[in-house]
Amino acid sequence: MSELEISNITKDYGATRALHPVSINVERGEFVTILGPSGCGKSTLLRILMGIARPSAGEIRLAGTRIDPLPPETRDIAMVFQSYALFPHMSVGKNLSFGLRMKNVPSPERARRIEHALEICNLTGLVERMPRQLSGGQQQRVALARAIVMQPRLLLFDEPLSNLDAKLRDTLRQELVYLHRRIGTTSIYVTHDQAEAMAMSDRIVVMDGGRVVETGTPLDLYRAPTRAFTAGFLGQTNLLTADADGTRARLPWGQLVALSAQAKGIARVSVRPETIAIRQDDTGAGTVTSVSFMGANALYTVGIAGTTLKVSQAGGESLIAAGSRVSLDFNGALHLLKDRELPEAA
Amino acid sequence: MAVVAETLPKARARVFHEDDRLLVSAGLYAALGLTIALPLVLMFLWSVADGWAPPNVIPRDYTLSRWLDMIADPGLLRAALNSTVIAVVVTFATALIALPTAWAMARFPFRLKRLVEIFILAPVIIPGLVVAVGIGQVFLFLGLSYSITGVILVQIVGTLPLMIRLMTATLETIPDDLIHAARSLGAGTVGVVLHIILPLAVPGLLAGGLLSFIGSFEEFDKSFIVGAPVVETLPIKLYTFLDPYSLQLPIASIIAFILLLPALIVFVIAGRILRDDLMAAGMGKL
Amino acid sequence: MQAALHDRKIQLALLLLPGVGYLVLFFGGPLVSALIGSLRLDDGSFTLQWYERIFTRATMLRGLQTSIYYGVAPVFVSLLVSIPLALLIRQNFWGRKLFNGLYKLPMAVPGIIVALMVIIMAERGGFIDRVIAPFGVSMPKLVRDEWGIGVILATVWKQIPFMTLIITSAFAGIPEDIRHAARSLGASRLNTFAFVEVPLAMPGITAAILLTFIGSMGSYAIPDIVGSPSPRPLSVLMLFEFGEGRFAQVYAMGMVLSLFAVVVLLAYYALTANIGVNRAKGDE
Amino acid sequence: MNARLFAIAALALSATTAPVFAAETNLKNLDFDLSKVTRENFYDIVVPAAKAEGTVTMYNFAGSFGDAWKELITRFEAKYGIKVEYSDVKGAQANQQLIAVQKAGEDAPVDAYFAGGGDYPLLSSAGVVGNIPLTSILPNMDHYDPAFAQSLFGKPHGGAYPLVHLNQTAIGYDSAFVKPEDLPKTFDELLAWAEKNPMRLGVTLPSKGGSGGGFIYSVALNYLTGECRTKLTDYTLTAEQAADWAMTSECLEPVWDYYRKLLSVAELTNGNADTLNLINNQQLYIGTVWEDQVMTFIRGKQLPDTFRLTLLENGQVGSGDAMFVPANAKHVAAAMLLIDMAIGKDFQAWKLENKASRSPRTDLTSNLVTPETAKYLLPSSVYPRLSAPAFWDMAKALGEALDEKVLSQ
């Protein structure tokens, strides 16, 4: 039995279906990210988990207890909001003690837990401050502290880092990972930022159009996505069709590559840019159409055999100029996508 | 509490030349003096003047006897007490009635909202006399005429629209997330109302409460028709001296001061509490 | 029951109930009874005579015109004062905080006292007249005058704070960036004001106009005391009819006045609905 | 309603000193036998009953009369030990309140109501007035003016609606500006004076003050003759009939004509006090006024001490205000006792001296006032000679017609 079992949850708004039957299991102590573009249904799912919205069908169990009919305040779930949702009329300390008072936690216990939360969130000394006197990062940490002080069974994060600048976001992301490791609370983290998802999660649930597209560890999803959407959403990729003849497939530029699974006929595959080696070659079949230097690597677009490919090359002393002819070489296993068709111009 | 001036963003205050600022100050305060202070002073002079005929610019003789007579009237104290009790009850009742409705207006999208808005605004539009005479007939039927309860009920008709609008404007500014956060932290409906909504609604409640208090304290038309003369409030007691067709300037001036004083005190206090932006949001958007 | 409470429609109804229900009971009820009363004779039979009187009697017809005049004229004068005042008080001048509190005092002054002040100050032979008499000048007629200047003055005095308050906030609500953007695009301070700030503040300004119009159209203490004895606005005539115990006539006049106000309000809604600026709220 | 009026009229005709109302009384809360009360045994029966009631509520409709009633109440409470609950009211509203309460069958909130003389038709037709032959049984009414004892301005009341105060509309002038030889003595002379002194005459708008209402009725009395005058003084007309006549009759052309000429040279004011205030400001020299209100203003130093009064030939309206016991009053005996004291000679003399409030007592004339007061009263050369009885419903009708026929044209 998983810690959190989401079974066949749907949500309809009138005639529109915001969530198609969604089922997700989360193990105890796991950090699961729900990743998807805006409008994919992840926020709706979060609201249902929290109890702000009610599912149209399906059920949710937390530690074996069915919680979907319960009001939010009895669910033993705490949430960190995108807007932080700090109570503007309460000091940091009051914000932290609010939930404990609501749950009638006795005063000495309350003080101890607040002290602890402040300490692990690096907030010591700010107890008396009002929210408006805090910086964005501090507010974010207070929001986090306010949630973990509850020692909930489940922590929900709703894009909690999206209102911060890039640098702070990186720092806080690391802090969050570290923190999760320390407290070990089962967590669900909602975001549309794939980098964030990959950096933090034990497991990622990819959602699109109100459905769960795919679930897996960051590594699996990145390396061997089974859906074009996942492949495209997690990092960059080239979505190609290949002619498969059982164990091998032919890539558009003619290279024959081993398949990870048996397939015949038209196969849809995802080829990561960094899995293709590029080499300047006046007799090569490809032509570089553009070059972007990214620092750690360089990204080329290459026109070859009627398609355009993205190719990434690490380091290197020099760049290949646009217009140069190149030859390409894929080295790795081709993972088949299960999609019936590929999205146009992926 | 934000003092009125501070509600304007700091950046708005442009830098002025020292002379300009003095000039603006001098001009504005002079205007204030001529249009508000001077009439009040003249009215006070009338109340203590023992005869004031042309060409005297200020009275030659003074008397306090009118003031003393007026203040000695035991009915005055009773009426003031009545007014205070009624105003307090009206203020609290108005807030209590207005809150849920304002919440609905602020938080629920629904189709007939415009219509409900107009209906809530309607008591401001319909002349008080019509409402009062109409309600007088209804109250007589209900046995509420000429009772304090009746006066309170009819006054709330006048204070409710402003309170609902002010509270709607206030409640609209509370982010959904705060309420969700409170709920996820274990607060039930009561907890959310008590610890989140009410504290955050305080500026609106204060503004609306003060306006309701003044509105009730000064209300004449409706209270008069529904309550007078069995229930005497301060305005009912004093307006008999302000009968437009026989008003005597000295007496009327005294009455004006007695009527104005509490309102002015409340308003000066209110100046520190009333938030311009809320007032404007409540009344300034239709 | 529990489920019913979670139904948004039922929640909405329950929440609306106290306020709207109260007004339906203690405002709508009397209003309907007033409406019925305005269409009835003493013996209960239907009549339009009370309305007929309003639209056939010269006194009443002129009264209606006068009501509208007393509603409209002060609004224009108030605007002329309030907009500059609103602009002035956002400057950083000495004693601004105090001024901000003081200028609102007239809001707390009952109309009848305002009228009294006008009599004391501006009546012929009154204070101002006595002050300027030594210079051989005398006051023009401001009380009981044909154009109702005394009424307009008194009404304006009472309206200005309310109007200024709303207009100040309307201007304050415009993001600083928008003004800066306009200036950076080459607009002068005046142009920025005229083409950017005023249009953006318009919803607030028009609402202030509407509310003050409705307020002054229905006020009676001021026109009763400092207005011309003839014509008298409908509100004053209404009070007279009340004194005569002709409730049906009072109701009918009240209905006509209210109807006029409501028509103006609806016209306002219709006009502003297309502008869209103030539709952000309420209909989402 | 007419039947009731006839009944009252019939009773009024047969009224003697003996009580006659025993069977017909409309009083609801009698706690003593009213039918046994006579002038002779009044105090024996009424005083104990009143003391048993212990308290009495009084309404006063006249804003300027508060201090007079305070004086009366002090005397009354001292003498009888009965508490008086006193309220100033607005006549129109209090009348409607009484009528509504009466309709609902509830007890009246007031026991002794000082109400306008012109309100009698309204109040009596609604059955609000308690049928007590006060003028026949109150000991202090033994010197009561027979002109008002049984009827008021042509309407019979059987003693139930006795005036306790008489007042007089008049022409007031500042003798510092109007020389005795220039003082108008007739309506024509008044117009001529106004034409010679434009905007120095103030005329109160009839619907905004009795001095104006009285004036327009006086103008009509002056210029109407024959049948027209008969109609004008037909007290049996109801308010509606009077209004119809005033709005349509050709008879009134001379009145409108007079007003058209007058208002082109005179100032129309917003009330009795408005007129006086303009005289105090030395903007007006002559104005339409009430005699008693002038005294209040003189005492309050709001009029120059050169201010004097006169009446125009052919008469100006004199009126009065009554004190009565409502049919549903709770403290009838105490109310009767209070009215008795109000009409007592002592209080009436005090009232005349201090408020220029004339008395319906035949034994009290202006000869009794101090010379200091006398000079502000109407001189005996014109009063009561030129005092004409009021007909307020007609005066009101004329006022409304004036608005329609002259002012709004």
Side-chain angles (χ1 to χ4, degrees):
Chain A
M1 188 189 71
S2 300
E3 177 79 350
L4 175 71
E5 297 173 61
I6 300 170
S7 322
N8 293 313
I9 289 292
T10 64
K11 179 69 183 175
D12 300 318
Y13 291 110
T16 15
R17 173 151 277 200
L19 282 184
H20 296 271
V22 166
S23 299
I24 300 169
N25 286 347
V26 179
E27 301 307 321
R28 185 158 190 180
E30 214 181 354
F31 193 109
V32 171
T33 298
I34 299 179
L35 177 69
S38 54
C40 72
K42 60 186 192 298
S43 297
T44 307
L45 183 60
L46 200 66
R47 291 165 67 87
I48 290 173
L49 278 175
M50 234 198 86
I52 303 163
R54 326 202 103 227
S56 303
E59 60 173 67
I60 303 169
R61 285 174 188 278
L62 183 61
T65 318
R66 190 164 167 191
I67 58 163
D68 54 284
L70 299 179
E73 62 268 27
T74 58
R75 287 191 174 193
D76 211 2
I77 295 176
M79 172 143 160
V80 179
F81 290 83
Q82 183 173 13
S83 64
Y84 317 142
L86 298 182
F87 305 129
H89 56 302
M90 299 180 189
S91 66
V92 169
K94 289 268 166 55
N95 261 287
L96 260 62
S97 68
F98 178 83
L100 300 174
R101 278 188 295 136
M102 288 294 115
K103 298 232 154 135
N104 293 318
V105 175
S107 162
E109 162 83 6
R110 217 154 62 198
R112 201 166 49 242
R113 276 162 72 169
I114 291 171
E115 185 70 23
H116 180 66
L118 286 171
E119 188 203 302
I120 62 175
C121 291
N122 221 345
L123 287 166
T124 330
L126 300 178
V127 198
E128 299 299 325
R129 295 276 190 90
M130 297 303 277
R132 63 170 180 279
Q133 298 171 308
L134 301 175
S135 70
Q138 287 170 330
Q139 290 187 15
Q140 170 59 64
R141 280 201 288 263
V142 174
L144 182 65
R146 189 178 66 180
I148 63 175
V149 80
M150 299 302 294
Q151 303 181 348
R153 279 206 93 93
L154 178 64
L155 256 176
L156 302 178
F157 297 87
D158 183 9
E159 313 211 10
L161 303 180
S162 61
N163 285 341
L164 301 170
D165 60 59
K167 195 151 183 213
L168 197 55
R169 195 153 53 207
D170 283 347
T171 320
L172 275 167
R173 187 198 290 162
Q174 285 160 22
E175 282 184 23
L176 259 178
V177 174
Y178 173 71
L179 195 79
H180 176 252
R181 216 172 292 147
R182 247 184 97 180
I183 60 173
T185 311
T186 315
S187 302
I188 291 186
Y189 190 102
V190 164
T191 184
H192 63 268
D193 181 335
Q194 47 98 9
E196 217 167 274
M198 290 203 286
M200 300 169 80
S201 324
D202 295 328
R203 217 145 46 89
I204 297 175
V205 176
V206 180
M207 285 188 71
D208 183 40
R211 295 171 213 268
V212 173
V213 176
E214 198 167 1
T215 306
T217 63
L219 190 64
D220 287 348
L221 285 185
Y222 187 81
R223 277 186 46 235
T226 62
R227 294 288 175 188
F229 180 80
T230 313
F233 203 74
L234 280 169
Q236 300 209 354
T237 197
N238 298 298
L239 296 172
L240 305 169
T241 49
D243 292 331
D245 64 349
T247 54
R248 292 189 308 173
R250 188 175 296 279
L251 291 173
W253 59 92
Q255 188 179 0
L256 262 176
V257 186
L259 276 172
S260 59
Q262 293 271 332
K264 254 195 151 42
I266 301 288
R268 282 159 282 274
V269 295
S270 154
V271 175
R272 295 283 177 198
E274 67 272 19
T275 57
I276 304 172
I278 184 169
R279 186 167 47 85
Q280 188 145 15
D281 176 0
D282 292 341
T283 61
T287 310
V288 174
T289 53
S290 75
V291 187
S292 314
F293 179 58
M294 319 285 286
N297 60 338
L299 194 66
Y300 300 95
T301 47
V302 178
I304 191 166
T307 57
T308 306
L309 288 180
K310 279 174 273 186
V311 179
S312 164
Q313 193 180 41
E317 293 295 300
S318 61
L319 296 173
I320 301 169
S324 312
R325 297 199 73 82
V326 289
S327 60
L328 301 177
D329 181 28
F330 173 78
N331 43 27
L334 264 187
H335 291 279
L336 283 170
L337 299 174
K338 291 179 182 159
D339 303 82
R340 287 174 180 236
E341 271 172 51
L342 290 180
E344 279 179 43
Chain B
M1 275 309 98
V3 177
V4 263
E6 281 176 1
T7 60
L8 298 169
K10 270 272 183 295
R12 222 163 238 301
R14 292 195 198 123
V15 183
F16 256 62
H17 290 299
E18 209 58 27
D19 317 352
D20 280 359
R21 294 168 54 165
L22 267 179
L23 215 67
V24 171
S25 291
L28 286 177
Y29 275 93
L32 208 62
L34 281 176
T35 54
I36 298 180
L38 182 62
L40 286 174
V41 169
L42 292 178
M43 216 160 69
F44 182 74
L45 285 182
W46 262 110
S47 77
V48 292
D50 198 17
W52 190 3
N56 297 334
V57 173
I58 55 165
R60 244 190 336 212
D61 305 307
Y62 296 88
T63 173
L64 275 178
S65 63
R66 288 197 200 90
W67 270 101
L68 295 177
D69 281 355
M70 193 59 70
I71 291 170
D73 180 356
L76 194 69
L77 193 69
R78 205 177 47 220
L81 209 66
N82 266 347
S83 278
T84 313
V85 170
I86 290 174
V88 168
V89 176
V90 165
T91 305
F92 279 96
T94 306
L96 218 60
I97 298 170
L99 258 177
T101 302
W103 182 255
M105 296 302 288
R107 295 303 179 125
F108 284 66
F110 58 98
R111 238 182 309 155
L112 296 176
K113 198 171 205 165
R114 256 287 142 81
L115 202 70
V116 176
E117 264 179 15
I118 295 179
F119 181 66
I120 289 172
L121 194 68
V124 181
I125 299 171
I126 312 289
L129 188 67
V130 175
V131 179
V133 178
I135 217 171
Q137 311 286 74
V138 176
F139 275 9
L140 204 69
F141 181 71
L142 297 174
L144 286 169
S145 301
Y146 320 117
S147 66
I148 294 217
T149 318
V151 171
I152 290 172
L153 288 174
V154 75
Q155 284 193 354
I156 293 176
V157 172
T159 51
L160 206 50
L162 191 62
M163 182 69 106
I164 294 181
R165 294 183 65 88
L166 273 174
M167 290 317 300
T168 305
T170 312
L171 296 178
E172 271 173 348
T173 62
I174 301 179
D176 275 334
D177 276 357
L178 285 191
I179 290 142
H180 297 155
R183 295 208 74 179
S184 76
L185 292 170
T189 308
V190 178
V192 169
V193 171
L194 230 55
H195 297 287
I196 310 299
I197 299 176
L198 280 182
L200 290 176
V202 160
L205 278 173
L206 280 176
L210 280 165
L211 291 183
S212 296
F213 189 89
I214 295 176
S216 160
F217 207 85
E218 306 244 293
E219 209 284 328
F220 174 70
D221 291 355
K222 298 195 281 285
S223 314
F224 172 73
I225 287 168
V226 168
V230 181
V231 179
E232 280 197 322
T233 62
L234 213 50
I236 289 175
K237 174 100 192 142
L238 297 178
Y239 268 56
T240 48
F241 297 101
L242 293 183
D243 174 17
Y245 312 136
S246 57
L247 67 81
Q248 303 176 42
L249 291 182
I251 307 269
S253 299
I254 293 176
I255 303 303
F257 264 96
I258 299 177
L259 272 176
L260 269 185
L261 215 61
L264 289 187
I265 292 170
V266 169
F267 226 77
V268 168
I269 300 169
R272 315 216 148 262
I273 301 171
L274 272 185
R275 297 247 314 265
D276 285 14
D277 51 340
L278 269 182
M279 283 281 296
M283 293 317 289
K285 281 187 210 142
L286 289 174
Chain C
M1 182 63 206
Q2 190 67 17
L5 279 176
H6 283 292
D7 187 326
R8 294 276 290 178
K9 277 198 182 129
I10 292 173
Q11 280 181 9
L12 176 67
L14 282 176
L15 286 171
L16 283 178
L17 188 68
V20 175
Y22 191 95
L23 289 179
V24 166
L25 202 63
F26 294 112
F27 170 73
L31 201 64
V32 170
S33 96
L35 178 66
I36 294 169
S38 73
L39 295 167
R40 274 169 47 136
L41 285 173
D42 275 347
D43 59 12
S45 58
F46 175 83
T47 181
L48 279 176
Q49 79 172 78
W50 307 114
Y51 290 93
E52 200 186 310
R53 262 169 65 111
I54 298 174
F55 292 103
T56 51
R57 291 247 165 136
T59 314
M60 296 262 192
L61 271 178
R62 290 180 75 213
L64 187 57
Q65 288 165 11
T66 310
S67 287
I68 296 168
Y69 173 67
Y70 283 164
V72 171
V75 167
F76 280 104
V77 183
S78 308
L79 267 182
L80 285 182
V81 182
S82 285
I83 292 184
L85 188 61
L87 293 179
L88 265 184
I89 58 178
R90 69 178 186 182
Q91 313 292 5
N92 187 16
F93 61 88
W94 179 81
R96 175 173 140 190
K97 234 181 237 187
L98 184 67
F99 184 88
N100 237 323
L102 290 179
Y103 89 90
K104 292 187 203 111
L105 289 184
M107 284 170 78
V109 181
I112 194 164
I113 296 178
V114 182
L116 193 67
M117 288 177 176
V118 171
I119 295 272
I120 289 174
M121 291 281 286
E123 173 74 287
R124 278 171 308 144
F127 179 76
I128 299 178
D129 225 358
R130 293 179 201 182
V131 170
I132 60 178
F135 308 101
V137 203
S138 69
M139 282 282 282
K141 189 172 171 180
L142 292 183
V143 175
R144 279 175 250 91
D145 64 306
E146 202 182 342
W147 288 100
I149 296 183
V151 176
I152 295 172
L153 279 181
T155 313
V156 164
W157 189 84
K158 213 172 143 40
Q159 278 177 354
I160 282 178
F162 178 71
M163 214 155 198
T164 308
L165 174 77
I166 290 180
I167 294 178
T168 308
S169 295
F171 280 124
I174 303 172
E176 190 78 348
D177 286 353
I178 291 191
R179 267 186 349 164
H180 291 161
R183 297 298 297 279
S184 75
L185 292 170
S188 68
R189 195 177 255 198
L190 188 69
N191 279 338
T192 306
F193 175 69
F195 298 114
V196 177
E197 294 188 72
V198 168
L200 282 173
M202 218 49 197
I205 296 175
T206 50
I209 289 175
L210 197 67
L211 282 176
T212 45
F213 165 76
I214 287 169
S216 48
M217 192 178 76
S219 84
Y220 61 83
I222 292 172
D224 195 22
I225 297 177
V226 297
S228 165
S230 174
R232 287 170 287 163
L234 221 47
S235 49
V236 174
L237 294 172
M238 196 161 82
L239 211 68
F240 174 76
E241 297 290 338
F242 172 73
E244 297 300 300
R246 286 195 285 256
F247 290 177
Q249 187 67 70
V250 173
Y251 292 147
M253 296 165 87
M255 291 299 146
V256 170
L257 265 182
S258 311
L259 191 73
F260 194 81
V262 169
V263 166
V264 171
L265 187 74
L266 291 178
Y268 166 84
Y269 277 140
L271 284 176
T272 52
N274 301 327
I275 298 173
V277 180
N278 69 337
R279 273 190 87 78
K281 177 198 127 193
D283 288 281
E284 75 263 57
Chain D
M1 188 203 96
N2 276 339
R4 249 183 53 79
L5 258 180
F6 281 127
I8 296 173
L11 286 166
L13 289 175
S14 65
T16 62
T17 48
V20 291
F21 272 84
E24 298 85 356
T25 185
N26 61 351
L27 292 159
K28 238 182 62 176
N29 302 309
L30 269 186
D31 40 18
F32 61 99
D33 191 351
L34 182 60
S35 63
K36 294 235 159 49
V37 180
T38 63
R39 246 197 256 289
E40 287 68 37
N41 67 14
F42 181 84
Y43 295 117
D44 299 337
I45 298 179
V46 173
V47 172
K51 286 192 170 162
E53 288 166 0
T55 160
V56 55
T57 307
M58 175 187 173
Y59 282 4
N60 162 42
F61 88 106
S64 59
F65 250 69
D67 48 351
W69 298 125
K70 238 160 251 162
E71 173 72 23
L72 174 71
I73 288 165
T74 311
R75 294 179 187 197
F76 182 79
E77 290 181 340
K79 182 161 179 191
Y80 294 112
I82 298 170
K83 177 96 184 84
V84 181
E85 304 282 350
Y86 170 88
S87 290
D88 289 309
V89 302
K90 295 214 175 196
Q93 189 263 352
N95 291 346
Q96 296 303 334
Q97 179 194 13
L98 268 183
I99 292 170
V101 166
Q102 170 85 20
K103 262 192 208 155
E106 291 170 23
D107 285 343
V110 56
D111 305 312
Y113 180 12
F114 180 59
D119 293 343
Y120 180 65
L122 173 75
L123 292 171
S124 66
S125 68
V128 168
V129 182
N131 290 342
I132 311 174
L134 293 166
T135 49
S136 312
I137 57 173
L138 296 192
N140 276 332
M141 290 209 176
D142 56 350
H143 285 86
Y144 199 75
D145 189 338
F148 307 117
Q150 296 300 327
S151 67
L152 180 58
F153 309 139
K155 303 260 199 277
H157 60 76
Y161 202 80
L163 300 183
V164 293
H165 144 80
L166 297 184
N167 51 6
Q168 179 64 41
T169 64
I171 295 297
Y173 60 99
D174 188 343
S175 59
F177 296 100
V178 183
K179 286 183 226 113
E181 62 269 27
D182 293 339
L183 186 66
K185 292 190 180 55
T186 65
F187 285 93
D188 287 333
E189 284 178 31
L190 185 69
L191 177 58
W193 184 89
E195 279 165 349
K196 225 166 36 179
N197 304 274
M199 295 302 150
R200 293 299 185 190
L201 167 67
V203 180
T204 309
L205 182 71
S207 55
K208 286 195 167 186
S211 66
F215 185 75
I216 195 170
Y217 189 69
S218 308
V219 169
L221 280 178
N222 186 61
Y223 289 105
L224 266 55
T225 53
E227 291 221 347
C228 289
R229 190 184 163 93
T230 312
K231 194 81 174 173
L232 183 73
T233 52
D234 180 359
Y235 293 109
T236 61
L237 292 179
T238 63
E240 288 78 31
Q241 289 166 335
D244 280 348
W245 181 72
M247 207 61 88
T248 52
S249 174
E250 307 257 311
C251 287
L252 292 163
E253 251 340 290
V255 177
W256 310 143
D257 217 42
Y258 184 80
Y259 262 93
R260 268 180 216 119
K261 288 185 205 142
L262 192 68
L263 291 184
S264 63
V265 289
E267 174 94 24
L268 194 60
T269 73
N270 273 331
N272 306 318
D274 203 21
T275 311
L276 294 179
N277 187 35
L278 279 171
I279 291 173
N280 189 47
N281 277 357
Q282 299 174 4
Q283 299 298 310
L284 300 180
Y285 302 152
I286 302 185
T288 60
V289 300
W290 282 105
E291 184 190 30
D292 57 329
Q293 192 181 28
V294 163
M295 183 59 74
T296 303
F297 272 61
I298 293 273
R299 297 256 186 256
K301 300 197 181 160
Q302 296 163 66
L303 276 175
D305 46 20
T306 47
F307 194 79
R308 294 292 181 273
L309 294 172
T310 189
L311 291 177
L312 298 178
E313 284 302 331
N314 284 343
Q316 285 192 260
V317 165
S319 185
D321 301 310
M323 209 174 196
F324 74 98
V325 185
N328 291 358
K330 280 179 289 191
H331 310 105
V332 178
M336 287 165 66
L337 209 52
L338 183 65
I339 298 172
D340 182 58
M341 189 181 245
I343 201 69
K345 193 168 181 181
D346 283 355
F347 178 67
Q348 289 284 324
W350 183 93
K351 203 160 59 70
L352 177 59
E353 172 71 27
N354 289 283
K355 307 292 294 181
S357 159
R358 303 274 181 175
S359 177
R361 289 185 72 100
T362 48
D363 56 354
L364 201 65
T365 62
S366 49
N367 302 336
L368 294 173
V369 300
T370 58
E372 178 50 33
T373 299
K375 64 182 181 189
Y376 301 118
L377 292 180
L378 281 161
S380 50
S381 58
V382 293
Y383 188 88
R385 182 174 65 89
L386 292 176
S387 179
F391 182 8
W392 287 116
D393 281 345
M394 180 58 80
K396 256 180 217 161
L398 293 178
E400 280 190 62
L402 174 77
D403 219 338
E404 202 64 22
K405 304 256 172 198
V406 181
L407 302 178
S408 295
Q409 295 308 315

